[in-house]
Amino acid sequence: MWTLWFVPLIVTIFAGVLILVVGYAAFVRPNKVRTWIALAAAPFGCTLLPIVALMVLAGLNALLQKSDARLFEEVYGFMPEMREDQMLADDFGTWSNRSIYMKLEPTPHDRRRILDVAPRRSDLTAEQFAIRGTAEGFMWWHTNCEEPAIYDADGYREWQTLTVYDCPERQIMFIVAFRP
């Protein structure tokens, strides 16, 4: 959503600097060719600054973002045996207001460890659980399962809500963790 203002920002910067350059050139009337070249390049250079800043921020975000395995470890406290391509996760917020959504293809050992943490059945229906991920707009949140088992582990490792959606016939698990 924030990208909606980025193009108008670039256009505004370009137009503003262009107006300043034209005003400066009309008022001062520079004699050197180098000055004219610098004045002609100023709007483009100033427009390039926010674009470069956005590229740097995107690169830093990619470097500093937690991997899916690290997000799993944040929820459960152990690194999973499954490979990185067997999990998909999105996270929002910080320590005091954090939510993590995961889709896993766990190994049998990981599945057993996850279900050991979530011993009690949830009151949620499969439809209610599916709404949690679809409300966030995830393209990968496909919780279609003939006989799902939904478990709660609320309170585990300070997660107010920790819900596990197990689909044994597809060998897939979905996890929602929320900490207020």
Side-chain angles (χ1 to χ4, degrees):
M1 184 83 175
W2 67 271
T3 56
L4 292 175
W5 59 264
F6 192 70
V7 172
L9 174 71
I10 298 299
V11 171
T12 304
I13 290 171
F14 183 84
V17 174
L18 185 62
I19 290 169
L20 290 173
V21 164
V22 168
Y24 178 80
F27 184 69
V28 175
R29 301 232 187 236
N31 295 328
K32 295 182 181 180
V33 175
R34 288 189 300 180
T35 306
W36 282 105
I37 292 172
L39 288 174
F44 298 99
C46 290
T47 302
L48 190 64
L49 289 175
I51 295 170
V52 170
L54 181 64
M55 290 171 54
V56 168
L57 288 174
L60 284 174
N61 184 42
L63 287 174
L64 299 176
Q65 187 176 13
K66 287 184 177 181
S67 68
D68 295 339
R70 290 288 174 205
L71 289 173
F72 182 90
E73 182 184 33
E74 184 178 336
V75 173
Y76 284 99
F78 65 90
M79 287 298 281
E81 292 177 354
M82 65 192 115
R83 297 180 319 271
E84 194 75 26
D85 65 336
Q86 292 178 299
M87 55 181 77
L88 186 60
D90 275 306
D91 63 318
F92 306 98
T94 56
W95 176 260
S96 61
N97 186 16
R98 184 102 162 118
S99 58
I100 297 175
Y101 296 82
M102 298 181 151
K103 176 184 177 183
L104 308 171
E105 297 173 19
T107 64
H109 184 251
D110 285 337
R111 176 183 295 280
R112 192 169 38 258
R113 290 180 78 180
I114 291 168
L115 293 179
D116 284 346
V117 169
R120 46 186 198 276
R121 287 289 190 141
S122 176
D123 295 334
L124 288 174
T125 65
E127 292 79 22
Q128 290 172 324
F129 185 86
I131 288 172
R132 290 182 174 188
T134 54
E136 295 294 337
F138 299 136
M139 299 298 289
W140 50 267
W141 195 262
H142 302 291
T143 58
N144 305 340
C145 189
E146 289 183 25
E147 303 223 4
I150 303 173
Y151 301 97
D152 280 333
D154 300 344
Y156 179 73
R157 292 180 48 91
E158 299 178 13
W159 293 99
Q160 178 186 353
T161 301
L162 179 55
T163 307
V164 178
Y165 180 98
D166 186 19
C167 185
E169 75 254 12
R170 288 178 49 206
Q171 298 295 313
I172 293 178
M173 294 180 119
F174 292 88
I175 297 170
V176 174
F178 175 72
R179 178 185 294 135

